[in-house]
Amino acid sequence: MAAKVLVLLGTKKGAFIAESDAERRSWKLRGPFCETWPMNHVVADPKTGTIWGAGGNEWFGPAVWKSTDLGETWTHSSDGLAYAEGEEPIKAVWSLAKGNGSLFAGVQPAGLFRSDDGGQSWEHVKGLQKHPSRPHWNPGGAGLILHSLVIDPNDHDRIWIGISAAGVFYTGDGGKSWEPRNLGTRADFMPEGENYPEFGQCVHNLVMAPGMPDRLYQQNHCGMYRSDDGGKRWVSIEKGLPSTFGFPAATHPRDPETLYLVPLNGDSAGRYVPDAKAAVWRTRDAGREWQAMRSGLPQENAYIGVLRQAMATDRLEPAGVYFGTSSGALFASADEGESWVNVTQHLPSILSVETLVVD
């Protein structure tokens, strides 16, 4: 049977699925799903095809949605997705990641939960909340959100998380204890002389290089970075890029040297693609040099933004690359970014993009 590619979209009004064959030339859109709840992150288990969606807001409350039939039917559960009585209530689930038979969820206000039954019930991973820096975490402009979850595929006790605006934290024991890993990343919004704190950086997205679990890439509010030692030290890789600001990052499925970013104008310039000309920037050498990939992307009056989880790659050869915009357009490349097509537009604001290849 030929492979089928599903691009999983989380939007402000439900989940959507764009579907194609391995050629990735024509696409069919399905949705909206999940009763049009805000869906911050939609992911899939590549082994089973199960799809989960992280969603909710202050009106709906938090929940994780689940489909075992590639999106045809859905259920959802909030069982256990709560802090202790008297603590600030959870507004929404923002991120999901699978590891060692467990499903992990990052929430707002920032915290980590684990499910050992496929998302039916949840348990608070309390070690993170007990870190001594917790009372000093800054919610920033968008709220205190645990939005990035990265798990070592060879050792599922090793987990890295990204919190806006507290920074990157790491556990080597499955969440019992944590340490900040922000050395070398800037916090330009801090007072002069305090721009490199132990924690308090505004990380926007954190991803792991394939086959190299200690190589991490980070898109930050204040620069782009690479770490080759599991986040103990970060080096800037922003030279050659049009700005130091952006939200998403996506790694190649096989090449640890290849990374994709979508730089945006900064806070004071509108947070859209520079010069209103859309481009995905690609490095083939771990950030030493960058190339703007523009073929097929709008090069005039493109006042678009791309949010922190709204870019992904697939595992086919050549790799597909996808990104969704805050104005509801999905773009796809079937040749590792060399050329692009507009798959769909006029969707609700796209909050996340992930992929599932079904053989």
Side-chain angles (χ1 to χ4, degrees):
M1 178 182 288
K4 182 165 60 174
V5 182
L6 276 61
V7 180
L8 313 174
L9 306 176
T11 82
K12 284 191 173 181
K13 297 182 180 180
F16 292 80
I17 298 175
E19 188 175 312
S20 184
D21 59 19
E23 297 298 317
R24 296 160 290 180
R25 291 176 180 167
S26 61
W27 294 85
K28 174 186 175 183
L29 184 69
R30 295 190 282 128
F33 303 118
C34 307
E35 298 178 9
T36 66
W37 279 40
M39 299 304 294
N40 297 311
H41 196 202
V42 182
V43 304
D45 184 342
K47 294 180 180 179
T48 66
T50 298
I51 302 172
W52 291 278
N57 58 18
E58 293 182 39
W59 176 260
F60 290 106
V64 173
W65 292 73
K66 179 179 181 180
S67 174
T68 57
D69 52 14
L70 300 182
E72 295 297 328
T73 60
W74 296 78
T75 59
H76 67 88
S77 175
S78 304
D79 183 15
L81 282 173
Y83 292 135
E85 187 175 351
E87 297 184 21
E88 184 178 354
I90 295 174
K91 297 181 176 68
V93 184
W94 270 87
S95 55
L96 295 168
K98 190 81 163 48
N100 197 29
S102 297
L103 184 66
F104 290 87
V107 303
Q108 179 190 10
L112 185 64
F113 285 76
R114 186 185 73 242
S115 173
D116 296 323
D117 56 11
Q120 297 303 310
S121 62
W122 296 87
E123 180 182 356
H124 185 201
V125 181
K126 296 180 180 179
L128 181 61
Q129 302 295 107
K130 295 178 180 178
H131 192 271
S133 67
R134 176 62 184 89
H136 307 288
W137 292 356
N138 182 354
L144 193 64
I145 298 170
L146 198 163
H147 52 68
S148 290
L149 265 171
V150 177
I151 302 175
D152 185 339
N154 304 317
D155 182 355
H156 294 154
D157 283 337
R158 302 180 74 214
I159 304 172
W160 293 260
I161 61 170
I163 299 174
S164 293
V168 174
F169 287 77
Y170 165 80
T171 178
D173 56 17
K176 297 181 182 68
S177 61
W178 296 82
E179 62 183 68
R181 292 207 167 174
N182 300 294
L183 184 62
T185 57
R186 301 191 310 276
D188 294 339
F189 45 84
M190 294 283 197
E192 187 174 353
E194 301 177 18
N195 303 123
Y196 289 89
E198 182 184 12
F199 62 91
Q201 288 85 343
C202 190
V203 55
H204 281 177
N205 193 262
L206 183 69
V207 293
M208 179 181 287
M212 294 180 65
D214 279 326
R215 171 169 287 179
L216 305 172
Y217 294 103
Q218 178 185 158
Q219 172 65 75
N220 194 287
H221 192 108
C222 306
M224 294 78 162
Y225 302 91
R226 186 190 74 243
S227 173
D228 293 320
D229 56 9
K232 294 178 181 177
R233 181 178 295 275
W234 297 87
V235 296
S236 171
I237 57 172
E238 63 203 48
K239 183 179 179 181
L241 291 168
S243 82
T244 61
F245 183 90
F247 286 105
T251 53
H252 190 278
R254 292 170 292 277
D255 180 10
E257 302 281 297
T258 298
L259 176 73
Y260 299 90
L261 299 176
V262 182
L264 304 177
N265 291 333
D267 288 336
S268 61
R271 295 190 177 188
Y272 56 83
V273 289
D275 302 319
K277 298 178 179 179
V280 171
W281 289 73
R282 185 184 68 191
T283 179
R284 292 292 202 186
D285 54 12
R288 296 170 184 86
E289 296 183 353
W290 293 92
Q291 180 183 8
M293 318 304 290
R294 301 183 184 273
S295 178
L297 296 176
Q299 296 301 294
E300 186 177 5
N301 298 324
Y303 296 96
I304 61 174
V306 182
L307 298 176
R308 70 175 83 244
Q309 291 164 294
M311 185 162 63
T313 58
D314 67 32
R315 63 176 174 83
L316 295 180
E317 177 66 52
V321 190
Y322 310 87
F323 71 91
T325 72
S326 53
S327 49
L330 174 65
F331 291 90
S333 170
D335 53 14
E336 308 204 349
E338 295 291 335
S339 62
W340 296 85
V341 295
N342 181 199
V343 172
T344 188
Q345 52 189 336
H346 309 310
L347 291 180
S349 182
I350 296 174
L351 305 178
S352 75
V353 176
E354 297 287 359
T355 66
L356 172 65
V357 176
V358 182
D359 295 319

